[in-house]
Amino acid sequence: MDALLSTGTLQVKTDLSPAQFGYHTSAYLWLTVAPSRLAATGAEASLHPEATFAASVTGTANLLVTTTCRSDSDLYAYVTTRIGALPGVHQAEIVPVLHRLKQGGTRLHDNRLMPT
């Protein structure tokens, strides 16, 4: 098992329900970042504990960051203090996730993981 894990032949992935741990607010952040700062800004945002995913994308908003926070006020604070402070960010569109049906291949019902 150690050999399989150390070579990357075997990977372990865990799917969990954030709401069960007190994280009730998720959102997609569509950021418009200066092209010269895109890689650095994306790398920095990906290290934030609130960020669950970050990727460069095409279009006016060229950086997508998905987030999970404990509350709406925590999301607001994250966007205004951490995201807003990233160099190169010119604009942010926040799209809240109001209801999640599926994540990472697992279905959710009442914030609990369901068998597939």
Side-chain angles (χ1 to χ4, degrees):
M1 189 76 106
D2 288 338
L4 292 172
L5 287 168
S6 67
T7 61
T9 303
L10 176 66
Q11 297 178 355
V12 178
K13 297 187 182 202
T14 304
D15 201 3
L16 50 91
S17 174
Q20 296 300 314
F21 296 92
Y23 292 86
H24 299 283
T25 302
S26 295
Y28 295 97
L29 307 180
W30 294 94
L31 307 178
T32 302
V33 179
S36 63
R37 299 290 309 163
L38 185 58
T41 302
E44 190 171 338
S46 73
L47 298 176
H48 294 168
E50 299 88 349
T52 56
F53 178 80
S56 298
V57 294
T58 62
T60 304
N62 54 2
L63 182 61
L64 168 65
V65 178
T66 63
T67 65
T68 301
C69 299
R70 289 193 179 274
S71 66
D72 294 344
S73 59
D74 288 341
L75 174 62
Y76 178 82
Y78 173 60
V79 170
T80 57
T81 61
R82 308 273 312 276
I83 292 295
L86 291 173
V89 174
H90 297 294
Q91 183 175 332
E93 292 184 43
I94 299 108
V95 180
V97 175
L98 301 177
H99 177 73
R100 188 179 308 260
L101 177 64
K102 187 175 179 181
Q103 69 178 38
T106 304
R107 292 184 55 82
L108 295 172
H109 180 68
D110 292 330
N111 292 320
R112 295 198 173 271
L113 300 176
M114 301 301 292
T116 55

